[in-house]
Every structure is written in C-alpha cells, then in structure tokens.
Amino acid sequence: MPKPFPSLLLRHSGVAAQGAFAEAQAAFLDPDPATVQRLKDLLQASDAGVVAHFYMDAELQGALLATGWSRLHISDSLVMADRAVTMAQKGARAIVVLGVDFMSENVRAVLDSAGFAALPVYRVTAEPIGCSLAAAAEAPAYAAYLHRAAATPNALHVVYINTSLRTKAHAQAIVPTITCTSSNVVQTILETFAAQPDANVWFGPDTYMGHNLRVLFERLADLDDAAIAAVHPQHTRASITALLPRFHYFEQGNCIVHHMFGAEVVARVRADYPDAMVTAHLEVPGEMFALALEGQQRGRGVVGSTSDILGYITAQVRAAPEHEPRHLQFVLGTEAGMVTSIVHAVRALLAARPLLTVEIVFPVAEGAVVATGDATLPLVPGVAGGEGCSTAGGCATCPYMKMNSLDALMAVLERIASPAALSAHAPRVYRELIGGRTVAQLGELPILHMREFQRSGHLPAVLLVDMRSRAVS
C-alpha cells in the first residue's frame, strides 16, 4: 500500500508537514531572522527591484517575502516584466530577475520598449539558465513546423511566452507571430478565428498545452450557443467546429516538470483523494488536465496559469465560513515552488478562520526523493528513484529554476554598484540580424502584439494585415 502523497497542513496556529518532500518545502516558510535581515540590508543598500517566478525554491522565496521589500514581485513570467517596468518608474537602480534566461530576456525587452534601456538587468548566475520547453522551440523540428505554418493561408503562429527572444524573432521572420500566456491563450486563439474565420492557427512549442487546448475546443463544440457565447461572444457551435481542423500544435516540446503529472499520478489522485480540489497548469499531460477540468466543471478545481491556481485557492479559502470547522484539500498540479506563494497568501486569510484547515497535496512519488537527515541538505532527489523525476510521481521541481539560489542573489546584490563585475550576469544579447533587423527589434513584435490584444481585446490591425498579406508558397 503506497504512502499518502506528502502535504502541508495550514492552520491559524501554524504549518505542519507530512512526508519528507513537504518537510523540505516547509523548512524555509519561516526563515532565519539573521538571514532575512542580511538580505533586507542588501536590498536597501542596492535599491534594486527583484522580480521572481513562482517556481523559485522555498528558501529563496521565503527569505524574500520575509524582508517585506517594497520592490519585490513574485508571479508568472509575463507579469514579472510588467512589474519590472513599474519598479523602474519608481526609481529602482537595477532589476534582478529570478528565473530562467528567457524571462530575463523578456524583462530586458519590455524595459527597453518602455524607455528604460539604460536600467541594468541582472541574472543571479553567470552561467546559462536553460529551459527544456524553450530549448524545444530552438530545435530544427520547430523551424520546420513554422515553415509548414507559413505555407498555409492566413497563418498565425501563437507562441508561448516561455521561449527565448531569438525564437520569437526567427518565428516572426517566417510567419506572423503573437505571444501568449497560459492565462490568455484560449482568448487569443478564439479572437483570431473571430477576426479571421478561415485562419490557420499554429500553437507551440508546448505539446501538452496544445493537446489540452484542442480538448478544450472539442468540449466547447459540444456546448450550446449560449454557453459558447459566455466564453467568447462571437462564437457558436458551428464556428468552434469549423476552427478545429485549422488549429495546429507542435508535438515535440514539453516542460520536464509538468511531464511528471502523468497517468499513474492521476490514478492515485482519483483513488486516494476523491474529495480534493484539483489544480493543474495548462502544461500538464492530458490525464491530469482532464482530471482538473472535470473538477473545474463541478466547481472543484481549476485549469490555468500559476496565477489562476493561486487565485482559485485563495478564493476558496475566502469563501469558507469564518467560524465553522472545515478542511479544504487541494492537489497542486504544477511545480512545487508555487507552494510558498500559496502559503503566504493563505496564512493571511486564516487569521479570521481559526477552525479552517487547508491542505496542499504534492503528488510526488515515494521513490522520487530521499530524506537525508542533514539540516543543510535535507532532501536529495533521485537516490532511490533514478533521476527522481518519473511519471510515477516525479520530483515536481525544476532544476533550471533552482539555479537561482539565495546565496547567488546576495552575491549579485553585493556587487550591484560595480556594473563591470556583473557583465556576465546581464541577459543574453543577440548580435545577428534577421532581414536587416536585430533579434531584439524583431523578437519584441510578438510581445507588443500581445500587449495590444490584452489592452483592447482585439488582435492588432497590423497583425491581421500581416496575416492576410504574406505570400503562401
């Protein structure tokens, strides 16, 4: 009989961990005060803004949140760039990006377009911080996919924001391109077909997200027109059915973390956690997506972005009675680093709900991690279970994101007054030209198209003209 999945129990009185994996996450929720003070002093001395992704490790997130630093924002990748601009407008002397390299590139590009090209942006390591999903979009197979897209009429490439600036630039040179996030991808695609009913939409590089989008549209086509109009007012069952053959997705790219949430995990969740609310990122495999979608349709789960998951959990806690015993159980179907922001938000709500217990369940295989008993290295992935990441449960942590450490952040902050010492920490600069334009100039266009779509709710007119006017070979 397998042990229960590890989990964190959040109460008004504190946090309790069940299982080694959860204990490792909980260890840094209340960080060492001396460490927090040192970090706070460095932040104040450097006057830097810090934007971090939800997937940072618990030690780093816990210490940052404990500082109460006003120029700190933890979110998904797109909002990181937005908040960097806000920090620049309020006088930050530099921006430190805690994430993988395409995130620092996006921050750099957005700051440049907002008029802050002179503001330094730093990563916390001089070494490259990769991403399996972003790498898939730089493979020859993806270039071939884009050339197939360009050979179809009224083609639009919808590229996930989690890709490099180079990917966005080369894609834009081949086929009209707009970026998307997991929060706006459904509306981006539906709006495209509303504006151009005979469009061909080519989504990539995330295979699981592409598959899940197709499933969503197929299920949408089974609804009546009124229900479909609630999702997008210009669509009907007929229009959704008509777009299905012209929605394409890349089939050779995935995130190594979300790949972990496969059939065996889902079988255990169904059997052992029948009353849990299931959360799932759009990047997870189809089995986990289907489980969370079922839950969402019953009001017992959510499918979406990291921000959607956080918002759903906090909304459920807010809706709980303040003075009745209640146990809310959530299965976390995304990277485990998300839990620090969840705990931080939920704790603030539990003050008014002393009888409420919130349980965050990590669907992690027993063999994926080993507890060492060592205070400095409490958890080792992979000793008992191969690499520690498998479809039996996985380690649910991204090794690339974990290249951002608390020590590395402090080292950068200590040297921030000496830009020459941090030259290797700047986002990658692409020197090549594409059709006479720089990678930065061309790669920024798909981001700007998305910005306009978010502002107006419509695809930019210039993008629609590009779709209709490019020659089809």
Coordinates of all heavy atoms in Angstrom, one line a residue, residues 197-258:
P197 N -12.1 34.1 -39.8 CA -12.7 32.7 -39.6 C -11.9 31.6 -40.4 O -12.0 30.5 -40.0 CB -14.1 32.9 -40.2 CG -14.4 34.3 -39.9 CD -13.1 35.1 -40.2
D198 N -11.3 32.0 -41.5 CA -10.5 31.0 -42.2 C -9.0 31.0 -41.9 O -8.2 30.5 -42.7 CB -10.7 31.1 -43.7 CG -10.2 32.5 -44.2 OD1 -10.0 33.4 -43.4 OD2 -10.2 32.7 -45.5
A199 N -8.7 31.5 -40.7 CA -7.3 31.5 -40.3 C -6.8 30.0 -40.1 O -7.6 29.1 -39.9 CB -7.1 32.3 -39.0
N200 N -5.5 29.9 -40.1 CA -4.8 28.7 -39.6 C -3.9 29.1 -38.4 O -3.0 29.9 -38.6 CB -3.9 28.1 -40.7 CG -4.7 27.2 -41.7 OD1 -5.0 26.0 -41.4 ND2 -5.1 27.8 -42.8
V201 N -4.2 28.6 -37.3 CA -3.5 28.9 -36.1 C -2.5 27.8 -35.7 O -2.9 26.6 -35.6 CB -4.5 29.2 -34.9 CG1 -3.7 29.3 -33.6 CG2 -5.3 30.5 -35.1
W202 N -1.3 28.2 -35.5 CA -0.2 27.2 -35.2 C 0.3 27.6 -33.8 O 1.0 28.6 -33.7 CB 0.9 27.3 -36.3 CG 0.3 26.9 -37.6 CD1 -0.5 27.7 -38.4 CD2 0.6 25.7 -38.3 NE1 -0.7 27.0 -39.6 CE2 -0.1 25.8 -39.6 CE3 1.3 24.6 -38.1 CZ2 -0.1 24.8 -40.5 CZ3 1.3 23.5 -39.0 CH2 0.6 23.7 -40.2
F203 N 0.0 26.7 -32.9 CA 0.5 27.0 -31.5 C 1.7 26.2 -31.2 O 1.9 25.0 -31.6 CB -0.6 26.6 -30.5 CG -0.2 26.6 -29.1 CD1 -0.1 27.8 -28.4 CD2 0.2 25.4 -28.4 CE1 0.3 27.8 -27.1 CE2 0.7 25.5 -27.1 CZ 0.7 26.7 -26.4
G204 N 2.6 26.7 -30.3 CA 3.8 26.0 -29.9 C 4.6 26.8 -28.9 O 4.3 27.9 -28.6
P205 N 5.6 26.2 -28.3 CA 6.1 24.8 -28.5 C 5.5 23.7 -27.6 O 5.9 22.6 -27.7 CB 7.6 24.9 -28.3 CG 7.7 26.0 -27.2 CD 6.6 26.9 -27.5
D206 N 4.6 24.1 -26.6 CA 4.3 23.1 -25.6 C 3.2 22.1 -26.1 O 2.1 22.5 -26.3 CB 3.7 23.9 -24.4 CG 3.6 23.0 -23.1 OD1 2.7 22.1 -23.2 OD2 4.4 23.1 -22.2
T207 N 3.7 20.9 -26.2 CA 2.8 19.8 -26.8 C 1.6 19.5 -25.9 O 0.5 19.4 -26.4 CB 3.6 18.5 -27.0 OG1 4.7 18.8 -27.8 CG2 2.8 17.4 -27.5
Y208 N 1.8 19.4 -24.6 CA 0.7 19.1 -23.7 C -0.3 20.3 -23.7 O -1.5 20.0 -23.7 CB 1.2 18.9 -22.2 CG 2.0 17.6 -22.0 CD1 3.2 17.6 -21.3 CD2 1.5 16.4 -22.6 CE1 3.9 16.4 -21.1 CE2 2.2 15.3 -22.4 CZ 3.4 15.3 -21.7 OH 4.1 14.1 -21.5
M209 N 0.2 21.5 -23.7 CA -0.8 22.6 -23.7 C -1.6 22.6 -25.0 O -2.8 22.9 -25.0 CB -0.1 24.0 -23.5 CG -1.0 25.1 -23.3 SD -0.2 26.8 -23.2 CE 0.5 26.6 -21.6
G210 N -0.9 22.4 -26.1 CA -1.5 22.3 -27.4 C -2.6 21.2 -27.4 O -3.7 21.4 -27.9
H211 N -2.3 20.0 -26.9 CA -3.3 18.9 -26.8 C -4.4 19.3 -25.9 O -5.6 19.1 -26.3 CB -2.6 17.7 -26.3 CG -3.6 16.6 -26.0 ND1 -4.1 15.8 -27.0 CD2 -4.1 16.2 -24.8 CE1 -4.9 14.9 -26.4 NE2 -5.0 15.1 -25.1
N212 N -4.1 19.9 -24.8 CA -5.2 20.3 -23.9 C -6.1 21.4 -24.5 O -7.3 21.4 -24.2 CB -4.6 20.8 -22.6 CG -3.9 19.7 -21.8 OD1 -4.1 18.5 -22.0 ND2 -2.9 20.1 -21.0
L213 N -5.5 22.3 -25.3 CA -6.3 23.3 -25.9 C -7.3 22.7 -26.9 O -8.5 23.1 -27.0 CB -5.4 24.3 -26.6 CG -4.7 25.3 -25.7 CD1 -3.6 26.0 -26.5 CD2 -5.6 26.3 -25.1
R214 N -6.8 21.7 -27.7 CA -7.6 21.0 -28.6 C -8.8 20.3 -27.9 O -10.0 20.4 -28.3 CB -6.9 20.0 -29.4 CG -7.8 19.1 -30.3 CD -7.0 18.3 -31.3 NE -6.4 19.2 -32.3 CZ -7.1 19.6 -33.4 NH1 -8.4 19.4 -33.5 NH2 -6.5 20.4 -34.3
V215 N -8.5 19.7 -26.8 CA -9.6 19.1 -26.0 C -10.6 20.1 -25.5 O -11.8 19.9 -25.6 CB -9.0 18.3 -24.8 CG1 -10.1 17.8 -23.8 CG2 -8.2 17.1 -25.3
L216 N -10.1 21.2 -25.0 CA -11.0 22.3 -24.6 C -11.9 22.7 -25.7 O -13.1 22.9 -25.5 CB -10.2 23.5 -24.1 CG -9.8 23.6 -22.7 CD1 -8.9 24.8 -22.4 CD2 -11.1 23.7 -21.8
F217 N -11.3 22.9 -26.9 CA -12.2 23.4 -28.0 C -13.2 22.3 -28.5 O -14.3 22.6 -28.8 CB -11.3 23.8 -29.2 CG -10.4 25.0 -28.9 CD1 -9.1 25.1 -29.4 CD2 -10.9 26.0 -28.2 CE1 -8.3 26.1 -29.2 CE2 -10.1 27.1 -27.9 CZ -8.8 27.2 -28.4
E218 N -12.7 21.0 -28.4 CA -13.7 20.0 -28.8 C -14.8 19.9 -27.8 O -16.0 19.7 -28.2 CB -12.9 18.6 -28.8 CG -12.0 18.5 -30.0 CD -11.1 17.3 -29.9 OE1 -11.0 16.7 -28.8 OE2 -10.4 16.9 -30.9
R219 N -14.5 20.1 -26.5 CA -15.6 20.1 -25.5 C -16.5 21.3 -25.6 O -17.7 21.3 -25.4 CB -15.0 20.0 -24.1 CG -14.3 18.7 -23.8 CD -14.1 18.5 -22.3 NE -13.4 17.3 -22.1 CZ -13.2 16.8 -20.9 NH1 -13.6 17.4 -19.8 NH2 -12.5 15.6 -20.7
L220 N -15.9 22.4 -26.0 CA -16.6 23.7 -26.3 C -17.6 23.5 -27.4 O -18.8 24.0 -27.3 CB -15.7 24.8 -26.6 CG -16.2 26.3 -26.4 CD1 -16.6 26.5 -25.0 CD2 -15.0 27.2 -26.8
A221 N -17.2 22.7 -28.4 CA -18.1 22.5 -29.6 C -19.3 21.6 -29.2 O -20.3 21.6 -30.0 CB -17.3 21.8 -30.7
D222 N -19.3 21.0 -28.1 CA -20.4 20.2 -27.6 C -21.4 21.0 -26.8 O -22.5 20.5 -26.5 CB -19.9 19.0 -26.7 CG -19.1 18.0 -27.5 OD1 -19.4 17.8 -28.7 OD2 -18.3 17.3 -26.9
L223 N -21.1 22.2 -26.5 CA -22.0 23.1 -25.7 C -23.0 23.8 -26.6 O -22.8 23.8 -27.8 CB -21.2 24.1 -24.9 CG -20.1 23.5 -23.9 CD1 -19.4 24.7 -23.3 CD2 -20.8 22.6 -22.9
D224 N -24.0 24.3 -26.0 CA -25.0 25.1 -26.9 C -24.4 26.5 -27.1 O -23.4 26.9 -26.5 CB -26.4 25.1 -26.2 CG -26.4 25.8 -24.8 OD1 -25.6 26.8 -24.6 OD2 -27.1 25.3 -24.0
D225 N -25.1 27.2 -28.0 CA -24.5 28.5 -28.4 C -24.5 29.5 -27.3 O -23.5 30.3 -27.2 CB -25.4 29.1 -29.6 CG -25.1 28.4 -30.9 OD1 -24.2 27.6 -31.0 OD2 -25.9 28.6 -31.9
A226 N -25.4 29.5 -26.4 CA -25.4 30.4 -25.3 C -24.2 30.2 -24.4 O -23.5 31.1 -23.9 CB -26.7 30.3 -24.5
A227 N -23.9 28.9 -24.1 CA -22.7 28.6 -23.3 C -21.4 29.0 -23.9 O -20.5 29.5 -23.3 CB -22.7 27.1 -22.9
I228 N -21.4 28.8 -25.3 CA -20.2 29.2 -26.0 C -20.0 30.7 -26.0 O -18.9 31.2 -25.9 CB -20.3 28.6 -27.4 CG1 -20.2 27.1 -27.4 CG2 -19.1 29.2 -28.3 CD1 -20.5 26.4 -28.7
A229 N -21.1 31.4 -26.2 CA -21.0 32.9 -26.2 C -20.5 33.4 -24.9 O -19.9 34.5 -24.8 CB -22.4 33.4 -26.5
A230 N -20.7 32.7 -23.8 CA -20.2 33.1 -22.5 C -18.7 33.1 -22.4 O -18.1 33.8 -21.7 CB -20.8 32.3 -21.4
V231 N -18.1 32.2 -23.3 CA -16.7 32.1 -23.4 C -16.1 33.1 -24.3 O -15.1 33.8 -24.1 CB -16.3 30.7 -23.8 CG1 -14.7 30.6 -23.9 CG2 -16.8 29.6 -22.8
H232 N -16.8 33.2 -25.5 CA -16.4 34.3 -26.5 C -17.7 34.6 -27.2 O -18.3 33.8 -27.9 CB -15.4 33.8 -27.4 CG -14.7 34.8 -28.3 ND1 -15.4 35.5 -29.3 CD2 -13.5 35.4 -28.2 CE1 -14.6 36.4 -29.8 NE2 -13.5 36.4 -29.2
P233 N -18.1 35.9 -27.2 CA -19.4 36.3 -27.7 C -19.6 36.1 -29.2 O -20.7 36.1 -29.7 CB -19.5 37.8 -27.3 CG -18.1 38.2 -27.0 CD -17.4 37.0 -26.5
Q234 N -18.5 36.0 -29.9 CA -18.6 35.9 -31.4 C -18.5 34.5 -31.9 O -18.5 34.3 -33.1 CB -17.5 36.8 -32.1 CG -17.6 38.3 -31.9 CD -16.5 39.0 -32.5 OE1 -15.6 39.5 -31.8 NE2 -16.6 39.2 -33.8
H235 N -18.6 33.6 -31.0 CA -18.5 32.2 -31.4 C -19.8 31.4 -31.2 O -20.5 31.7 -30.2 CB -17.3 31.5 -30.8 CG -16.0 31.7 -31.5 ND1 -15.7 31.2 -32.7 CD2 -15.0 32.5 -31.1 CE1 -14.5 31.6 -33.1 NE2 -14.0 32.4 -32.1
T236 N -20.0 30.4 -32.0 CA -21.2 29.5 -31.9 C -20.6 28.1 -32.0 O -19.4 27.8 -32.3 CB -22.2 29.7 -33.0 OG1 -21.6 29.4 -34.3 CG2 -22.7 31.2 -33.0
R237 N -21.5 27.1 -31.8 CA -21.1 25.7 -32.0 C -20.6 25.5 -33.5 O -19.6 24.8 -33.7 CB -22.3 24.8 -31.8 CG -21.9 23.3 -32.0 CD -23.1 22.4 -31.8 NE -23.5 22.3 -30.4 CZ -24.4 21.5 -29.9 NH1 -25.1 20.7 -30.8 NH2 -24.6 21.4 -28.6
A238 N -21.2 26.1 -34.4 CA -20.7 26.0 -35.8 C -19.3 26.5 -36.0 O -18.5 25.9 -36.7 CB -21.7 26.6 -36.8
S239 N -19.0 27.7 -35.4 CA -17.7 28.3 -35.6 C -16.6 27.6 -34.9 O -15.5 27.4 -35.4 CB -17.7 29.8 -35.2 OG -17.9 29.9 -33.8
I240 N -16.9 27.0 -33.7 CA -15.9 26.2 -33.0 C -15.6 24.9 -33.7 O -14.5 24.5 -33.9 CB -16.4 25.9 -31.5 CG1 -16.6 27.2 -30.7 CG2 -15.4 25.0 -30.8 CD1 -15.4 28.0 -30.5
T241 N -16.7 24.3 -34.2 CA -16.5 23.1 -35.0 C -15.6 23.4 -36.3 O -14.7 22.6 -36.6 CB -17.8 22.5 -35.4 OG1 -18.6 22.2 -34.2 CG2 -17.6 21.2 -36.2
A242 N -15.9 24.5 -36.9 CA -15.2 24.9 -38.1 C -13.7 25.2 -37.9 O -12.8 24.9 -38.7 CB -15.8 26.1 -38.8
L243 N -13.3 25.7 -36.7 CA -11.9 26.0 -36.4 C -11.1 24.8 -36.1 O -9.8 24.9 -36.2 CB -11.8 27.1 -35.3 CG -12.1 26.7 -33.9 CD1 -11.0 26.0 -33.2 CD2 -12.5 28.0 -33.1
L244 N -11.7 23.7 -35.6 CA -10.9 22.6 -35.2 C -9.9 22.1 -36.2 O -8.7 21.8 -35.8 CB -11.8 21.5 -34.7 CG -12.6 21.7 -33.4 CD1 -13.6 20.6 -33.1 CD2 -11.6 21.8 -32.2
P245 N -10.2 21.9 -37.5 CA -9.3 21.4 -38.4 C -8.1 22.4 -38.7 O -7.1 22.0 -39.3 CB -10.1 21.1 -39.7 CG -11.5 21.1 -39.3 CD -11.6 22.1 -38.1
R246 N -8.3 23.6 -38.3 CA -7.3 24.7 -38.6 C -6.6 25.1 -37.4 O -5.9 26.2 -37.4 CB -8.0 25.8 -39.4 CG -8.3 25.4 -40.8 CD -9.1 26.5 -41.6 NE -10.5 26.5 -41.2 CZ -11.0 27.5 -40.4 NH1 -10.3 28.5 -40.0 NH2 -12.3 27.5 -40.1
F247 N -6.7 24.4 -36.3 CA -5.9 24.6 -35.1 C -4.8 23.5 -35.0 O -5.2 22.3 -35.0 CB -6.8 24.6 -33.8 CG -5.9 24.6 -32.6 CD1 -5.2 25.7 -32.2 CD2 -5.8 23.5 -31.8 CE1 -4.4 25.7 -31.1 CE2 -5.0 23.5 -30.7 CZ -4.3 24.6 -30.3
H248 N -3.6 23.9 -35.1 CA -2.5 23.0 -35.1 C -1.6 23.2 -33.9 O -1.5 24.4 -33.3 CB -1.6 23.2 -36.3 CG -2.4 23.4 -37.6 ND1 -2.8 22.4 -38.4 CD2 -2.9 24.5 -38.2 CE1 -3.5 22.8 -39.4 NE2 -3.6 24.1 -39.3
Y249 N -0.9 22.2 -33.4 CA 0.0 22.4 -32.3 C 1.3 21.5 -32.5 O 1.2 20.4 -33.1 CB -0.6 22.1 -30.9 CG -1.1 20.7 -30.7 CD1 -0.2 19.7 -30.1 CD2 -2.4 20.2 -31.0 CE1 -0.6 18.4 -29.9 CE2 -2.8 18.9 -30.8 CZ -1.9 18.0 -30.2 OH -2.3 16.7 -30.0
F250 N 2.4 22.0 -32.0 CA 3.7 21.3 -32.1 C 3.7 20.1 -31.2 O 3.2 20.1 -30.1 CB 4.8 22.3 -31.7 CG 6.2 21.8 -31.9 CD1 6.7 21.4 -33.1 CD2 7.0 21.6 -30.8 CE1 7.9 21.0 -33.3 CE2 8.3 21.1 -31.0 CZ 8.8 20.8 -32.2
E251 N 4.2 19.0 -31.7 CA 4.1 17.7 -31.0 C 5.4 17.2 -30.4 O 5.5 16.0 -30.1 CB 3.5 16.7 -31.9 CG 2.0 17.1 -32.3 CD 1.3 16.0 -33.1 OE1 1.9 14.9 -33.2 OE2 0.2 16.3 -33.6
Q252 N 6.4 18.1 -30.3 CA 7.7 17.6 -29.8 C 8.3 18.5 -28.7 O 9.5 18.7 -28.7 CB 8.7 17.5 -31.0 CG 8.3 16.5 -32.1 CD 9.2 16.5 -33.2 OE1 10.4 16.3 -33.1 NE2 8.7 16.8 -34.4
G253 N 7.5 19.1 -27.9 CA 8.0 20.0 -26.9 C 7.3 19.9 -25.6 O 6.0 19.9 -25.5
N254 N 8.0 19.8 -24.4 CA 7.3 19.9 -23.1 C 8.2 20.3 -22.0 O 9.4 20.3 -22.2 CB 6.7 18.5 -22.8 CG 7.7 17.4 -22.7 OD1 8.6 17.4 -21.9 ND2 7.5 16.3 -23.5
C255 N 7.6 20.7 -20.9 CA 8.3 21.1 -19.7 C 8.6 19.8 -18.9 O 7.7 19.0 -18.7 CB 7.5 22.1 -18.9 SG 8.0 22.3 -17.2
I256 N 9.9 19.6 -18.5 CA 10.3 18.4 -17.9 C 9.6 18.2 -16.5 O 9.4 17.1 -16.0 CB 11.8 18.3 -17.7 CG1 12.3 19.4 -16.8 CG2 12.5 18.2 -19.0 CD1 13.8 19.3 -16.4
V257 N 9.1 19.3 -15.9 CA 8.5 19.2 -14.6 C 7.0 18.8 -14.8 O 6.5 17.9 -14.2 CB 8.5 20.6 -13.8 CG1 7.7 20.5 -12.6 CG2 10.0 20.8 -13.5
H258 N 6.3 19.5 -15.7 CA 4.9 19.2 -15.9 C 4.7 17.8 -16.6 O 3.7 17.2 -16.4 CB 4.2 20.3 -16.7 CG 4.1 21.6 -16.0 ND1 4.8 22.7 -16.3 CD2 3.3 21.9 -14.9 CE1 4.5 23.7 -15.5 NE2 3.6 23.2 -14.6

